[in-house]
Amino acid sequence: MSQSWPLILSRGELTLRPLRYRDRNRWLEIRRFNRDWLKPWEATSPFHSEKDLPSFFEMVNFHNREGRAGRALTLALWRGNELIGQITMGGISYGALRGAHIGYWIDQRWANKGLMTEAVTTLTNHGFDELKLHRIEINLRPENEASRRVAEKAGYLLEGRRPSYLHIDGDWRDHLVFVRLSSNN
């Protein structure tokens, strides 16, 4: 694995970097502002309530541990000094699979401007070029047309449907799986 933590990636107007403790107020504000907009697409737990979620500091510590270990790369999206979203390359697996999956969210005020496609493309390229991954997936709800456009514009192809794949917005939901394969290996 050829990476160091904290990982910082830049492309155009975007910078992708791990959240820091001092980002807490901005992150909480953007999440509060976008709560209703993101709710239909947010992962939930079938066993825990929102009250059981980790604190911001616990979340940052977890993401940093996972990043240092090379298991998941969770990065905040910044446009200048403005936090506009978050992206994760998780489930990173080496060995015979050499794969991962990407998940993301963006502030609705910055949606439909091509910025998330730029972020997905940047992280995908990092996965293929630096981590030498072979396969990266994006799993999304069939109803999420905006997310589908991001995946397609970033070069991902529809592979199929996964029934009851993830617990989202309080229930097990079907997902479409989009895939990109590396042309390098």
Side-chain angles (χ1 to χ4, degrees):
M1 177 176 64
S2 62
Q3 75 171 37
S4 62
W5 193 262
L7 177 66
I8 300 172
L9 302 172
S10 295
R11 180 179 171 134
E13 301 176 67
L14 278 183
T15 300
L16 287 65
R17 67 160 173 79
L19 286 167
R20 299 177 288 209
Y21 295 144
R22 65 179 168 222
D23 299 326
R24 179 181 180 272
N25 290 341
R26 286 182 182 174
W27 190 88
L28 290 173
E29 178 186 325
I30 192 174
R31 295 295 300 179
R32 198 169 15 260
F33 179 82
N34 287 280
R35 176 172 288 160
D36 292 339
W37 191 66
L38 293 172
K39 188 177 184 307
W41 323 118
E42 291 277 285
T44 50
S45 171
F47 307 111
H48 301 98
S49 71
E50 199 171 302
K51 291 179 275 187
D52 299 321
L53 292 175
S55 71
F56 179 81
F57 299 108
E58 291 168 332
M59 179 188 69
V60 168
N61 286 335
F62 175 77
H63 291 322
N64 283 329
R65 271 194 314 277
E66 293 297 291
R68 280 191 296 276
R71 291 184 295 256
L73 308 174
T74 298
L75 305 168
L77 277 58
W78 296 85
R79 187 169 181 263
N81 290 325
E82 190 155 2
L83 173 63
I84 65 168
Q86 194 167 316
I87 189 168
T88 298
M89 178 181 285
I92 298 172
S93 177
Y94 299 100
L97 176 61
R98 294 208 75 82
H101 55 81
I102 290 180
Y104 44 83
W105 62 266
I106 193 163
D107 182 333
Q108 64 182 324
R109 296 167 287 197
W110 292 97
N112 301 310
K113 297 181 186 323
L115 296 168
M116 188 51 75
T117 301
E118 210 170 295
V120 168
T121 300
T122 300
L123 193 54
T124 298
N125 290 343
H126 178 77
F128 290 148
D129 298 340
E130 301 302 321
L131 303 181
K132 305 299 182 205
L133 298 179
H134 169 68
R135 173 189 175 90
I136 302 174
E137 297 182 1
I138 295 175
N139 295 285
L140 55 96
R141 298 267 313 271
E143 307 86 353
N144 193 338
E145 286 297 323
S147 191
R148 182 182 185 134
R149 282 192 309 275
V150 167
E152 290 172 342
K153 289 187 331 189
Y156 284 73
L157 301 175
L158 178 63
E159 183 177 69
R161 186 180 194 97
R162 292 183 169 160
S164 299
Y165 180 64
L166 286 174
H167 201 270
I168 302 285
D169 191 24
D171 204 358
W172 294 102
R173 310 287 182 176
D174 292 357
H175 279 66
L176 299 178
V177 58
F178 285 79
V179 174
R180 247 184 88 181
L181 300 176
S182 173
S183 58
N184 300 331
N185 48 35

